[in-house]
Amino acid sequence: MPNREFELSVRFEPNIKNLIMGAKLVAEFRTKSGVDTRMGDQIELAVGEALANAIKHSRSHGDNAIGLIMNVTEDMLTVKVEDNGIGFSPEKIPPPDFEKLPSNGYGLFIIKEVMDSVSYSSNNSVNTLTMKKRLR
Amino acid sequence: MGEPLGFNEYSAGKAIVIELKGRFDASVALPVKNRMRSLLDDTPFIIADLGQISFIDSSGLGALLASLRHASRRGGDLRLANMTEKIQQVFALIRLDHVFKIYPDVKSAVQSLKE
């Protein structure tokens, strides 16, 4: 029987090798929530993209500057990814150029495609990307 | 969840087949891209067997795109084989399923280079 309310979190250093820590948390989320394979795959992808972006743009080294929080309340998943980088304005990021097909710049597009909503905020040097998805 | 990426290589017809296994994410995209560039110094054709990839993100896709371009500039090609439905869905998200030549298995990808 899947859990309908729970929260999972992890913090780690902004090292790209630590992407696996996010993947482990997503695996735990999949088990606890009982989401179907396709939805689980989409969430895994969005979290991976958000974490990779946060790690690449973090300004700190050697501390736990990257945070991942996955909160399930009723049928809604809220994912927060925190970093202390220079931040960005999601609305200023252009969509990928599907004619020229550059080899990067697809992360935010993918997140928007697979999640129901995406928002971004910066407070006291902490940037938070918040993604929501209805689970059922 | 899947294990870190590993790869194995072998020759098949005109191509070198590179079998990728595990998570193909931002932590390994650059070494894979560099390895493919190195392979393309020996042969213009690479077949990437993606059958054992447990996860791919946009960095992994970017490494494949960059390798495809590198192969094309050398008169060759990077062809993909053995994709699972999960991996196919990520390719379709950013419309790369129409950019690469994709085959259901390595055998048919190798055969395509004989035609």
Side-chain angles (χ1 to χ4, degrees), chain B residues 11 16 19 36-37 41 84:
Chain B
S11 295
I16 292 178
E19 280 180 335
M36 287 201 180
R37 277 182 177 249
D41 288 339
T84 61

Side-chain angles (χ1 to χ4, degrees), chain A residues 16-20 23-25 27 30 38 41-42 44-45 48-49 52 56 96 98-107 109-110 113-114, chain B residues 1-4 23 25-28 33 54-63 65-66 69 85-87 89-90 92-96 99:
Chain A
I16 202 72
K17 294 188 185 308
N18 286 336
L19 278 176
I20 194 69
K24 286 178 181 174
L25 200 79
R30 291 175 80 143
R38 185 180 170 88
D41 289 346
Q42 291 177 333
E44 179 185 20
L45 181 60
E49 296 290 349
K56 284 175 188 171
F98 288 111
E99 294 296 319
K100 292 182 178 171
L101 285 172
S103 57
N104 56 25
Y106 299 101
F109 174 82
I110 287 176
E113 284 289 299
V114 301
Chain B
M1 180 190 59
E3 67 279 18
R23 293 182 62 83
D25 64 17
S27 68
V28 295
K33 185 170 77 172
S54 58
F55 175 80
I56 192 166
D57 68 3
S58 63
S59 297
L61 296 175
L65 258 178
R69 292 223 170 83
E85 187 181 344
K86 176 180 181 177
I87 303 304
Q89 285 169 359
V90 185
L93 261 181
I94 59 171
R95 305 165 201 179
L96 293 185
V99 175

